[in-house]
């Protein structure tokens, strides 16, 4: 139908061309014959147009979007019933998308990037204040005029927040690269901070010219990386980026919504505090692999200039620094870590940063959690306090693992005894002295201790024997316990309890992950290659094929639905129980035209 209606008049709109096609329909360029202006006309996909539930929801959301009067949001003019179905009439934007700019130019200059993202944040902040969540922010949904005026478009997946509603949306929606962990997991309480994550990932791509996922990763791998893995920092792909801008990006894409910027205004203020001139901060590609999609380009080269103007700016600089520090923790100390013997892997605040001897030229002032791990030796955990401007040196003598012991083990609930010489326990806190004065050497680990590395997916809490419950968080926890038989109980507030008993040898390091969810991989064949996932009789917004859809414990009825088709296999039953192995349930459905 696309080409056949070019030149025809639908309602009062003359179709003049095709602007694009999405999952919900085709977008045409049209001339409003009544007002003599160009408009964008989105015609609903035929199957969706016959779905009464979808139409009801879409009309409700279109009305809410029409109320958003923001210069950086594409305006909605009308919702019309035409002879070809439902049509959404929108503002026509002359220009191209942010995705086009990145594809053609690679990383954008810093001054231009900040200008663009302040507009994006202003637009989404306005939408959030009106209880509208976009849910599909990405570079291709950000239009740019020739003057770099932003127009955020395609609210087709928008969710209207209804605080009092008991409705649960099980679908994920969105585009995988830019989806937040909570959105991928299909959680019902995805809020405005999900949009902030997507803005952060869009900022990441704008600064580096690429997304952080390699071409060799499957959709399942990418979902895993977003939910449970570690996103490489953007300076890995663009070494010229200012640290302040890197930290803003990483804060926006933090896995924990509570640790992201809580509002678009908050993130915009952090960006505003970074001062760059039109010639400053020209992005230069790093030495890592080039972007997966953009063609080769030659980025302009300019010398790195300081982020802040000279001291002559006086109060302006002080005010800018105050705003930045209110959102960021600026690196302000140096640290050298050594071990005896050398070659120990070093974790700083849970992240591997190198192997001893190791120089860290810029660390955050305050309390640092350090872990040294070398094969054949006890793992050493230390807390270190460094002050701003100091240069600290930490030297750790590692203790070799003893031969296995069969007796004399302490029960796990007992605490390790205090050494007779009054030294602190193995995990200790020391204060860094001024430059040139080495730190006290940590005490050696007691010989009957084993190490547990525990995680729960999704995050929960853990109890060892009859001890106190400990929150694992998104990154899990590393715990030292006495060796022997230990009963470990994982608990999730929604999904229940999973318990196991293990035997630990002295010096052993054991990893254990409790999966409270199973993961669906669903494909569709027959007369239709896609459908909508149906869980326990409810049709979701998740379109098949799907790989890695999280499903909580219980007995679930799974099927696929599509207007005008029937599922040959009917429903399939999947029983999910908490497990210590990751479970993937692969289902195939055949759709037959009615």
């Amino acid at each position: 139908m696309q080409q056949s209606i070019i030149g025809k008049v639908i309602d009062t709109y003359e179709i003049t061309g095709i602007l694009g096609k999405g999952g919900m329909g085709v977008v045409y360029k049209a001339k409003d014959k009544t007002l003599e202006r160009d408009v964008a006309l989105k015609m609903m996909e035929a199957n969706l147009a016959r779905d009464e539930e979808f139409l009801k929801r879409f009309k409700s959301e279109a009305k809410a979007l029409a109320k958003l009067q923001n210069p950086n949001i594409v305006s909605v003019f009308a919702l019309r019933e035409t002879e070809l179905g439902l049509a959404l009439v929108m503002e026509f934007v002359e220009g191209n998308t942010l995705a086009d700019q990145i594809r053609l130019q690679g990383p954008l200059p810093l001054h231009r990037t900040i200008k663009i993202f302040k507009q994006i944040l202003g637009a989404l902040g306005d939408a959030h204040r009106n209880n509208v969540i976009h849910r599909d922010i990405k570079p291709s949904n950000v239009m740019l005029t020739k003057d770099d005026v932003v127009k955020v478009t395609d609210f087709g997946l928008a969710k209207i927040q209804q605080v009092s509603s008991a409705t649960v949306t099980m679908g994920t929606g969105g585009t995988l690269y830019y989806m937040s962990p909570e959105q991928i997991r299909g959680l019902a309480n995805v809020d405005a901070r999900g949009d902030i994550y997507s803005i952060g990932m869009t900022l990441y791509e704008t600064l580096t010219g690429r997304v952080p996922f390699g071409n060799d990763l499957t959709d399942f791998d990418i979902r895993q990386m977003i939910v449970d893995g570690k996103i490489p920092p953007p300076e890995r792909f663009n070494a010229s980026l200012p640290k302040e801008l890197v930290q803003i990006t990483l804060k926006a894409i933090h896995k924990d919504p509570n640790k992201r910027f809580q509002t678009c205004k908050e993130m915009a203020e952090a960006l505003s505090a970074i001062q760059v001139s039109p010639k400053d901060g020209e992005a230069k590609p790093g030495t890592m692999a080039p972007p997966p999609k953009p063609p080769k380009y030659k980025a302009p080269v300019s010398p790195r200039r300081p982020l802040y103007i000279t001291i002559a700016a006086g109060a302006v600089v002080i005010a800018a620094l105050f705003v930045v520090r209110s959102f960021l923790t600026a690196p302000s100390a140096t640290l050298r870590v050594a071990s005896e013997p050398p070659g120990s892997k070093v974790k700083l605040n849970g992240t591997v940063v190198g192997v001893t001897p190791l120089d860290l030229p810029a660390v955050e002032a305050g309390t640092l959690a350090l872990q040294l791990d070398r094969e054949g030796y006890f793992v050493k955990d230390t807390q270190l306090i460094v002050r701003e401007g100091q240069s600290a040196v930490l030297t750790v003598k590692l203790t070799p693992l003893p031969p296995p012991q069969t007796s004399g083990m302490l029960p796990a609930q007992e605490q390790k005894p205090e050494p007779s010489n009054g030294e602190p326990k193995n995990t200790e806190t020391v204060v860094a002295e001024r430059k040139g004065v080495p730190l006290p050497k940590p005490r050696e680990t007691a010989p009957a201790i084993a190490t547990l590395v525990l995680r729960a997916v999704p995050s929960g809490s853990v109890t060892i024997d009859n001890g106190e419950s400990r929150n694992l968080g998104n990154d899990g926890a590393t715990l030292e316990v006495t060796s022997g038989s230990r009963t470990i109980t994982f608990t999730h507030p929604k999904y229940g309890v999973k318990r196991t008993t293990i035997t630990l040898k002295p010096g052993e390091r054991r990893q254990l992950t409790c999966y409270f969810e199973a993961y669906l991989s669903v494909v569709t064949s027959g007369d239709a290659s896609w459908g909508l996932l149906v869980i326990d009789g409810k049709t979701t917004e998740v379109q098949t094929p799907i790989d890695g859809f999280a499903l909580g414990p219980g007995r679930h009825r799974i099927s696929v639905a599509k207007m005008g088709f029937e599922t040959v296999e009917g429903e399939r039953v999947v029983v999910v129980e908490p497990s210590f192995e990751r479970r993937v349930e692969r289902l195939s459905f055949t759709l037959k035209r009615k």
Side-chain angles (χ1 to χ4, degrees), residues 331-336 360-366 368 384-393 430-437 439:
S332 55
T334 63
L335 176 63
R336 177 175 176 81
L360 299 172
V363 297
E364 299 175 359
L368 308 177
L384 177 68
I385 299 176
V386 294
R387 300 186 178 94
E388 184 173 355
Q390 286 190 334
S391 180
V393 178
V430 292
V431 179
E433 301 297 335
R434 295 184 178 178
K435 184 174 182 179
V437 180
L439 297 169

Side-chain angles (χ1 to χ4, degrees), residues 287-306:
T287 57
M288 299 295 289
K293 294 182 180 179
K296 293 182 179 180
Y297 59 90
K298 185 176 181 180
V301 179
S302 66
R304 176 80 179 274
R305 299 184 181 179

Side-chain angles (χ1 to χ4, degrees), residues 24 32 55 67 151 213 275 342 358 363 401 473 504 550 594:
M24 296 176 61
D32 186 334
L55 289 179
K67 296 177 182 178
K151 294 285 186 178
F213 314 106
Q275 299 183 18
L358 177 64
V363 297
L401 291 174
L504 296 168
K594 292 182 179 179

